[in-house]
Coordinates of all heavy atoms in Angstrom, one line a residue:
R1 N 102.1 103.6 114.5 CA 103.4 103.9 114.9 C 104.0 102.5 115.1 O 105.1 102.4 115.7 CB 103.5 104.5 116.3 CG 102.8 105.9 116.1 CD 103.0 106.9 117.4 NE 102.5 108.2 117.1 CZ 103.1 109.3 117.5 NH1 104.2 109.1 118.3 NH2 102.7 110.5 117.3
A2 N 103.6 101.6 114.4 CA 104.2 100.2 114.4 C 105.5 100.1 113.7 O 105.8 100.9 112.8 CB 103.2 99.2 113.8
K3 N 106.4 99.2 114.1 CA 107.7 99.0 113.5 C 107.5 97.9 112.4 O 107.1 96.8 112.7 CB 108.7 98.5 114.5 CG 110.2 98.2 113.9 CD 111.1 97.7 114.9 CE 112.5 97.3 114.3 NZ 113.5 96.8 115.2
L4 N 107.7 98.3 111.1 CA 107.7 97.4 110.0 C 108.9 96.9 109.4 O 109.9 97.7 109.4 CB 106.9 98.2 108.9 CG 105.5 98.7 109.2 CD1 105.0 99.6 108.0 CD2 104.5 97.7 109.6
T5 N 109.1 95.7 109.4 CA 110.3 95.0 109.0 C 110.1 94.2 107.7 O 109.3 93.3 107.7 CB 110.8 94.1 110.1 OG1 111.0 94.9 111.3 CG2 112.3 93.5 109.6
P6 N 110.8 94.5 106.6 CA 110.8 93.6 105.4 C 110.9 92.1 105.7 O 111.7 91.6 106.4 CB 111.7 94.1 104.4 CG 112.0 95.5 105.0 CD 111.8 95.5 106.4
K7 N 110.0 91.3 105.0 CA 110.0 89.9 105.3 C 110.3 89.1 104.1 O 109.6 89.2 103.1 CB 108.8 89.5 106.0 CG 108.5 88.0 106.3 CD 107.2 87.7 106.9 CE 106.9 86.3 107.0 NZ 105.5 86.0 107.6
D8 N 111.3 88.3 104.0 CA 111.6 87.5 102.8 C 111.0 86.1 103.0 O 111.8 85.2 103.0 CB 113.1 87.5 102.5 CG 113.5 86.9 101.2 OD1 112.6 86.7 100.3 OD2 114.7 86.5 101.1
A9 N 109.7 86.0 103.1 CA 109.1 84.8 103.4 C 107.6 84.9 103.1 O 107.1 86.0 102.9 CB 109.2 84.3 104.9
P10 N 107.0 83.9 102.9 CA 105.5 83.9 102.5 C 104.6 84.7 103.5 O 104.9 84.7 104.7 CB 105.0 82.5 102.3 CG 106.3 81.7 102.2 CD 107.3 82.4 102.9
A11 N 103.6 85.4 103.0 CA 102.8 86.2 103.8 C 102.0 85.4 104.7 O 101.4 84.3 104.4 CB 101.9 87.2 103.0
E12 N 101.7 85.9 106.0 CA 100.8 85.3 106.9 C 100.0 86.3 107.7 O 100.3 87.6 107.7 CB 101.6 84.3 107.9 CG 102.6 85.1 108.7 CD 103.5 84.3 109.5 OE1 103.2 83.0 109.6 OE2 104.6 84.7 110.0
N13 N 98.9 85.9 108.4 CA 98.0 86.8 109.0 C 98.9 87.6 110.0 O 99.7 87.1 110.7 CB 96.9 86.0 109.7 CG 95.9 85.6 108.7 OD1 95.7 86.1 107.7 ND2 95.2 84.6 109.1
G14 N 98.5 88.9 110.0 CA 99.2 89.8 110.9 C 100.4 90.6 110.1 O 100.8 91.7 110.6
N15 N 100.7 90.1 108.9 CA 101.7 90.8 108.2 C 101.1 92.0 107.4 O 99.9 92.1 107.1 CB 102.4 89.9 107.1 CG 103.3 88.9 107.5 OD1 103.6 87.9 106.9 ND2 103.7 89.1 108.9
Q16 N 101.9 93.1 107.1 CA 101.3 94.2 106.4 C 101.9 94.0 104.9 O 103.0 93.6 104.7 CB 101.9 95.5 106.8 CG 101.3 96.8 106.1 CD 102.2 97.8 105.7 OE1 103.2 97.7 105.1 NE2 101.8 99.1 106.1
L17 N 100.9 93.9 104.0 CA 101.2 93.9 102.5 C 100.8 95.1 101.8 O 100.0 95.8 102.2 CB 100.3 92.7 101.9 CG 100.3 91.4 102.7 CD1 99.4 90.3 101.8 CD2 101.6 90.9 102.8
E18 N 101.6 95.2 100.7 CA 101.2 96.3 99.7 C 101.0 95.5 98.5 O 101.9 94.7 98.0 CB 102.3 97.3 99.6 CG 102.4 98.3 100.6 CD 103.5 99.5 100.3 OE1 103.9 99.5 99.2 OE2 103.6 100.2 101.3
I19 N 99.8 95.6 97.9 CA 99.4 94.9 96.7 C 98.8 95.8 95.6 O 98.3 96.8 95.9 CB 98.3 93.8 97.0 CG1 97.0 94.5 97.5 CG2 98.8 92.8 98.2 CD1 95.8 93.5 97.7
D20 N 99.1 95.3 94.4 CA 98.3 95.8 93.1 C 97.2 94.8 93.0 O 97.3 93.6 93.1 CB 99.1 95.8 91.9 CG 100.4 96.7 92.1 OD1 100.4 97.6 93.0 OD2 101.3 96.7 91.4
F21 N 96.0 95.4 92.8 CA 94.9 94.5 92.2 C 93.9 95.1 91.3 O 93.9 96.3 91.2 CB 94.1 94.0 93.6 CG 93.4 95.2 94.3 CD1 92.2 95.7 93.8 CD2 93.8 95.8 95.4 CE1 91.6 96.8 94.4 CE2 93.2 96.7 96.1 CZ 92.0 97.3 95.6
E22 N 93.3 94.2 90.5 CA 92.2 94.6 89.5 C 91.1 93.6 89.8 O 91.4 92.4 89.9 CB 92.7 94.5 88.2 CG 93.6 95.6 87.7 CD 93.8 95.7 86.2 OE1 93.3 94.7 85.5 OE2 94.6 96.5 85.7
V23 N 89.8 94.1 89.9 CA 88.8 93.3 90.3 C 87.7 93.6 89.1 O 87.3 94.7 88.8 CB 88.1 93.7 91.6 CG1 86.9 92.9 92.0 CG2 89.1 93.6 92.7
K24 N 87.4 92.5 88.5 CA 86.4 92.5 87.3 C 85.1 91.6 87.7 O 85.1 90.7 88.3 CB 87.0 92.0 86.1 CG 88.2 92.7 85.5 CD 88.7 92.2 84.2 CE 89.9 93.1 83.7 NZ 90.4 92.6 82.5
S25 N 84.1 92.2 87.0 CA 82.8 91.4 87.0 C 82.3 91.4 85.6 O 82.1 92.5 85.0 CB 81.7 92.1 88.0 OG 80.4 91.5 87.9
D26 N 82.0 90.2 85.1 CA 81.6 90.0 83.7 C 82.6 90.7 82.8 O 82.1 91.2 81.8 CB 80.1 90.6 83.5 CG 79.1 89.7 84.3 OD1 79.3 88.5 84.4 OD2 78.2 90.4 84.7
G27 N 83.9 90.6 83.0 CA 84.9 91.1 82.2 C 85.2 92.6 82.3 O 86.0 93.1 81.7
K28 N 84.3 93.4 83.2 CA 84.6 94.8 83.3 C 85.1 95.1 84.8 O 84.6 94.6 85.7 CB 83.2 95.5 83.0 CG 82.7 95.3 81.6 CD 81.5 96.2 81.4 CE 81.0 96.1 79.9 NZ 79.8 96.9 79.7
I29 N 86.0 96.1 84.8 CA 86.4 96.4 86.1 C 85.4 97.3 86.9 O 84.8 98.1 86.3 CB 87.8 97.3 86.0 CG1 88.8 96.6 85.3 CG2 88.2 97.9 87.3 CD1 90.1 97.3 85.0
I30 N 85.2 96.7 88.1 CA 84.1 97.4 89.0 C 84.6 98.8 89.5 O 85.8 99.1 89.4 CB 83.8 96.4 90.1 CG1 85.0 96.3 91.2 CG2 83.3 95.2 89.6 CD1 84.6 95.6 92.5
D31 N 83.7 99.6 89.9 CA 84.0 100.9 90.5 C 84.9 100.6 91.8 O 84.7 99.9 92.7 CB 82.7 101.6 91.1 CG 82.0 102.2 89.8 OD1 82.5 102.4 88.8 OD2 80.8 102.4 90.1
G32 N 86.0 101.3 91.7 CA 87.0 101.2 92.8 C 87.8 99.9 92.7 O 88.4 99.5 93.7
G33 N 87.7 99.2 91.6 CA 88.3 97.9 91.4 C 89.8 97.9 91.0 O 90.2 96.9 90.6
V34 N 90.3 99.0 91.0 CA 91.9 99.1 90.6 C 92.6 99.9 91.6 O 92.2 101.0 92.1 CB 92.0 99.9 89.3 CG1 93.5 99.9 88.9 CG2 91.3 99.1 88.1
S35 N 93.7 99.3 92.1 CA 94.5 100.0 93.0 C 96.0 99.6 93.0 O 96.3 98.4 92.6 CB 94.0 99.8 94.5 OG 94.8 100.6 95.5
R36 N 97.0 100.5 93.2 CA 98.4 100.1 93.2 C 99.0 100.4 94.6 O 98.6 101.4 95.3 CB 99.0 101.0 92.1 CG 98.5 100.8 90.7 CD 99.0 99.5 90.1 NE 98.4 99.4 88.8 CZ 97.4 98.6 88.5 NH1 96.7 97.9 89.4 NH2 96.9 98.4 87.2
N37 N 99.8 99.5 95.0 CA 100.5 99.6 96.3 C 99.6 99.8 97.5 O 99.7 100.6 98.3 CB 101.6 100.8 96.3 CG 102.7 100.5 95.3 OD1 102.7 101.1 94.2 ND2 103.5 99.6 95.6
H38 N 98.5 99.0 97.4 CA 97.4 99.1 98.3 C 97.8 98.5 99.7 O 98.2 97.3 99.7 CB 96.1 98.5 97.8 CG 94.9 98.7 98.6 ND1 94.0 99.8 98.3 CD2 94.3 98.2 99.7 CE1 93.1 99.8 99.2 NE2 93.3 98.9 100.1
P39 N 97.8 99.2 100.7 CA 98.3 98.7 102.0 C 97.2 97.9 102.8 O 96.0 98.5 102.9 CB 98.8 99.8 102.8 CG 98.0 101.0 102.4 CD 97.6 100.7 100.9
I40 N 97.5 96.7 103.3 CA 96.5 96.0 104.2 C 97.2 95.3 105.3 O 98.5 95.0 105.0 CB 95.6 95.0 103.3 CG1 96.5 93.9 102.7 CG2 94.9 95.7 102.2 CD1 95.7 92.8 102.2

């Protein structure tokens, strides 16, 4: 129920981010290694 406010500045600890990521091992994407708009 937190209040989220867009921030036009570099990310720092405590901020909520939405990220796209791909994670590879030996050139192959790992299980669960792709996500879009992943909140953290």
Side-chain angles (χ1 to χ4, degrees):
R1 300 196 170 213
K3 180 182 178 182
L4 303 176
T5 305
K7 175 182 176 181
D8 189 18
E12 57 188 347
N13 284 336
N15 291 163
Q16 190 217 53
L17 310 185
E18 288 188 4
I19 64 172
D20 296 345
F21 64 76
E22 286 190 358
V23 183
K24 294 182 179 180
S25 175
D26 296 325
K28 294 182 179 179
I29 295 176
I30 65 171
D31 283 341
V34 178
S35 188
R36 300 285 178 259
N37 297 105
H38 190 94
I40 65 165

